[in-house]
Amino acid sequence: MGPVLVNGLPAHVLLVHFVVVLVPLTALALLACAVWPSVARRFGIALPVLALVTLISVPITTHAGEWLERHVASDALVRRHTGLGDELLPWVIALFVMSVVVWWVYRRTARAASGEAEYRAVTVALPLRLAVLVLSLAAAVGACVQVYRIGDSGARAAWHDAYSAAARTDGVRFR
């Protein structure tokens, strides 16, 4: 499905950075577009494209993580991290769906306001905008919280027992 090694390093360790950046970025863009129609008009098709790139990055990163899981010692922390990682895809699908909905709604209402079925656009716009905003907020918050939980569990799995709280006293410094 995607690379598992990049230059001899586990690809998951590198790919996870895309997910950690793209999910919150997509969530913020989605919320900005859902709240302000002018932002949605400026973003245009870029919002669903950004959400699609984010969506594609999640299974690729998960696949690389599953490979890595088979190549490290299994313990409760690793199992928790992989379990949480498997729960991200539905949230990112929701981000993508809501991004398409926001793009479509604002494209539709902008067209309607310019002369086509103006009365219908006025009566539908506020309830539709509120529903889109609430659903977008739920998808954005859920995705960001899940990324945080996954990242926290991954850091714990990678770093537990791998460092000392006391500084080294033998004079050796890391470069």
Side-chain angles (χ1 to χ4, degrees):
M1 171 176 241
V4 292
L5 291 173
V6 174
N7 204 22
L9 295 172
H12 179 73
V13 178
L14 302 170
L15 294 171
V16 72
H17 292 86
F18 289 106
V19 173
V20 168
V21 170
L22 288 175
V23 169
L25 181 66
T26 303
L28 286 173
L30 173 61
L31 289 178
C33 290
V35 170
W36 295 293
S38 62
V39 173
R41 283 189 291 278
R42 285 190 182 119
F43 260 81
I45 194 73
L47 177 64
V49 169
L50 174 63
L52 180 62
V53 170
T54 303
L55 177 60
I56 290 168
S57 71
V58 170
I60 292 171
T61 303
T62 303
H63 172 73
E66 288 168 353
W67 178 90
L68 181 58
E69 179 186 18
R70 292 188 302 271
H71 291 85
V72 298
S74 181
D75 64 13
L77 294 173
V78 171
R79 287 189 299 275
R80 175 162 169 72
H81 175 66
T82 57
L84 289 170
D86 290 337
E87 296 172 9
L88 180 61
L89 188 58
W91 289 108
V92 177
I93 290 171
L95 277 180
F96 173 71
V97 168
M98 289 313 303
S99 294
V100 171
V101 168
V102 165
W103 170 75
W104 181 79
V105 164
Y106 285 120
R107 183 170 171 254
R108 182 175 163 258
T109 57
R111 210 174 0 152
S114 68
E116 301 173 20
E118 190 170 333
Y119 175 75
R120 184 170 160 216
V122 171
T123 59
V124 173
L126 185 60
L128 186 59
R129 281 185 62 192
L130 288 175
V132 165
L133 179 60
V134 168
L135 293 173
S136 296
L137 183 63
V141 169
C144 289
V145 167
Q146 190 64 19
V147 165
Y148 172 81
R149 293 175 65 213
I150 295 165
D152 180 64
S153 69
R156 290 180 192 279
W159 288 97
H160 78 283
D161 298 332
Y163 70 95
S164 172
R168 293 180 60 136
T169 59
D170 59 6
V172 177
R173 293 187 174 261
F174 295 102
R175 293 177 197 241

